[in-house]
Amino acid sequence: MTPAAFQAITTAMVALPGIKRHKTVPVTVRNVTVGGGHPVVVQSMTNTDTADVEKTFEQVKKLYFSGSEIVRVTVNNDAAAIGAAKLREKLDKEGLEVPLVGCFHYNGHKLLTDHPDLARALDKYRINPGNVGFGQKRDKQYEIMVEKAIEYNKPIRIGVNWGSLDQDLSTKLMDENAAKPDPASADEVMRETLVQSALISAQKAEDIGLSRDKIILSAKVSRVQDLIAVYIALAERSDYALHLGLTEAGMASKGIVATALGEGILLQQGIGDTIRASLTPEPNGDRTLEVKVCQEILQALGLRSFAPEVSACPGCGRTTSTYFQELAQDIQRYLEVKMPVWKKQYPGVETLKVAVMGCIVNGPGESKHADIGISLPGTGEQPVAPVFIDGEKAQTLRGDAIAADFQGIVENYVKRRFG
């Protein structure tokens, strides 16, 4: 290749631009700020009966300790309203400052009026304008909920949902669309209905007297492309803080992939101030998976760091032994166990990058790119494992105690670098 040709190629290379966050009005939810350029907030929701205070408390505590910075609970009847107020008392006694959000549908106006302890205890009210009432009751009941937010100085999330759209607005937009010479598709009308419902409801809240820094918007759908289109429109038309999430992401890999794609594409465009992964758990499954998925989305995009990253090769015919897979798992578990202590002792340790590679092909190179890495021997290779620290070969491990030796090296590196 001639120097001129090489210069032409390198000149054409464009660095991936950094993520420029969409400018939104910051909203404070207890001790957490959403929007205004603050770090994207991770939140989750319980699936316990809120009337069962002890069971809900245990789940909230587990979600909080796993990294959920806001937790939402269902408030659907009087028993749940009483339970949510008691739950806040119990959390406060335990010194758990997790912001608690009440999720209301249909009867929120009544519950907030009948239970002032509930209205005081919650840190935010989630209101679905499609489910606050019908006909003449709708505006009045919505007004009551907003007035309670003003009275108790609470923010609200106006959460529209394609499963419970404002029927009057939906009918109006469909009729207007049908009269056009070139009508839009039914999906396009549905998306526009969601966007308008959220913005109209937010404006109504402001007209009632709720300040702009008390309003967060969300527009939940189940399909990734709808999610992207709706939130791009919301970001273009407003500066309200935005909560991202699919309304029913699904189970297992399907739910994780859909959430990562939808939220990831929007976050890469700077859209989104708080996120949730609405995953369907396995029966009696671990609810904290939705928290971990959100953290990994943000970490993968470079928006936040929550825990050290462990890179490990997928394996191939050169790595017929499972040793490197077992070591990668051991290191991952070791880091998870250590992190609660390390976070307090070693600020910045969550940015640590560790590589556990399986053979000579990419092992040394990948290990050099990590802060600390090990390249294990593949099938037929010499039974030695070079360790790389900060891009340089530091030592070589041999024998049956490679895993324990490597963990010791990681421990010493953390103390030296972050101590």
Side-chain angles (χ1 to χ4, degrees):
M1 182 181 294
T2 65
F6 179 78
Q7 181 63 38
I9 292 173
T10 54
T11 301
M13 291 181 182
V14 179
L16 186 68
I19 296 175
K20 185 178 180 181
R21 299 281 300 282
H22 173 63
K23 187 177 181 181
T24 57
V25 176
V27 180
T28 299
V29 185
R30 197 177 181 89
N31 56 357
V32 173
T33 303
V34 176
H38 287 80
V40 179
V41 174
V42 173
Q43 61 179 281
S44 60
M45 185 174 183
T46 61
N47 62 354
T48 55
D49 181 355
T50 311
D52 187 337
V53 178
E54 191 58 41
K55 195 170 183 180
T56 305
F57 170 78
E58 290 300 326
Q59 191 172 85
V60 170
K61 184 167 70 170
K62 190 173 183 181
L63 289 166
Y64 181 54
F65 284 141
S66 72
S68 182
E69 292 155 311
I70 297 176
V71 179
R72 180 159 50 112
V73 298
T74 297
V75 187
N76 58 334
N77 53 40
D78 290 315
I82 294 168
K86 290 181 178 178
L87 173 63
R88 179 73 268 167
E89 288 181 12
K90 191 170 177 62
L91 289 166
D92 289 343
K93 285 180 181 178
E94 293 285 332
L96 303 177
E97 284 292 311
V98 54
L100 208 59
V101 179
C103 188
F104 296 100
H105 294 278
Y106 310 112
N107 59 354
H109 63 288
K110 187 174 187 303
L111 294 174
L112 287 169
T113 301
D114 293 348
H115 299 277
D117 287 347
L118 167 73
R120 278 189 291 269
L122 295 173
D123 298 298
K124 185 176 72 174
Y125 309 156
R126 191 273 192 178
I127 305 172
N128 181 346
N131 283 343
V132 294
F134 304 95
Q136 294 181 347
K137 292 182 177 180
R138 180 176 59 235
D139 289 346
K140 182 59 180 175
Q141 292 174 178
Y142 180 74
E143 184 177 334
I144 290 171
M145 296 186 75
V146 174
E147 287 174 343
K148 290 300 175 184
I150 295 169
E151 179 182 351
Y152 293 98
N153 194 29
K154 307 292 183 179
I156 65 173
R157 170 158 71 93
I158 297 171
V160 298
N161 192 302
W162 77 335
S164 50
L165 282 172
D166 180 333
Q167 290 304 305
D168 291 341
L169 178 61
S170 180
T171 300
K172 174 179 176 289
L173 293 182
M174 284 192 292
D175 289 345
E176 290 176 356
N177 181 63
K180 293 178 179 178
D182 184 20
S185 67
D187 282 347
E188 289 173 310
V189 177
M190 180 272 293
R191 293 169 185 164
E192 181 61 22
T193 305
L194 281 166
V195 173
Q196 287 199 27
S197 178
L199 295 177
I200 290 170
S201 298
Q203 186 57 58
K204 283 181 181 177
E206 287 197 62
D207 292 343
I208 294 167
L210 190 67
S211 60
R212 204 172 187 81
D213 63 352
K214 297 289 187 185
I215 299 172
I216 297 172
L217 299 186
S218 70
K220 296 294 189 75
V221 294
S222 292
R223 298 186 305 223
V224 170
Q225 294 290 2
D226 291 325
L227 184 83
I228 295 167
V230 166
Y231 276 92
I232 287 175
L234 281 173
E236 288 175 345
R237 300 187 207 177
S238 77
D239 61 356
Y240 294 109
L242 298 177
H243 167 89
L244 301 187
L246 293 163
T247 187
E248 300 107 1
M251 298 181 69
S253 60
K254 184 266 181 189
I256 293 172
V257 170
T259 299
L261 277 172
E263 294 182 2
I265 289 170
L266 288 167
L267 289 166
Q268 179 64 30
Q269 296 181 60
I271 298 171
D273 302 290
T274 177
I275 64 173
R276 183 193 170 205
S278 299
L279 304 177
T280 304
E282 298 289 337
N284 300 314
D286 188 354
R287 193 72 170 176
T288 62
L289 177 61
E290 63 178 58
V291 179
K292 188 173 181 61
V293 168
C294 288
Q295 290 178 329
E296 291 186 356
I297 290 170
L298 294 175
Q299 186 147 336
L301 287 170
L303 288 170
R304 293 185 67 181
S305 293
F306 297 94
E309 291 184 16
V310 178
S311 300
C313 68
C316 65
R318 290 177 176 270
T319 55
T320 52
S321 168
T322 60
Y323 186 72
F324 81 93
Q325 298 161 333
E326 293 163 0
L327 179 57
Q329 286 183 336
D330 288 345
I331 289 295
Q332 186 72 61
R333 282 193 290 264
Y334 167 75
L335 293 173
E336 289 172 357
V337 169
K338 287 286 188 179
M339 275 307 291
V341 176
W342 281 357
K343 276 185 177 180
K344 296 176 182 178
Q345 292 183 338
Y346 308 119
V349 69
E350 63 274 6
T351 63
L352 177 69
K353 291 178 173 56
V354 181
V356 180
M357 305 307 294
C359 77
I360 199 172
V361 173
N362 289 320
E366 289 283 355
S367 296
K368 289 177 182 177
H369 288 304
D371 295 315
I372 182 168
I374 185 170
S375 178
L376 295 165
T379 306
E381 294 179 11
Q382 292 290 325
V384 296
V387 174
F388 297 84
I389 297 176
D390 294 331
E392 301 292 335
K393 183 177 177 182
Q395 63 187 97
T396 300
L397 302 180
R398 296 178 173 82
D400 298 327
I402 288 178
D405 291 343
F406 185 63
Q407 287 182 8
I409 293 169
V410 172
E411 177 102 27
N412 289 332
Y413 179 83
V414 168
K415 290 177 180 177
R416 177 172 56 80
R417 177 175 170 185
F418 300 102

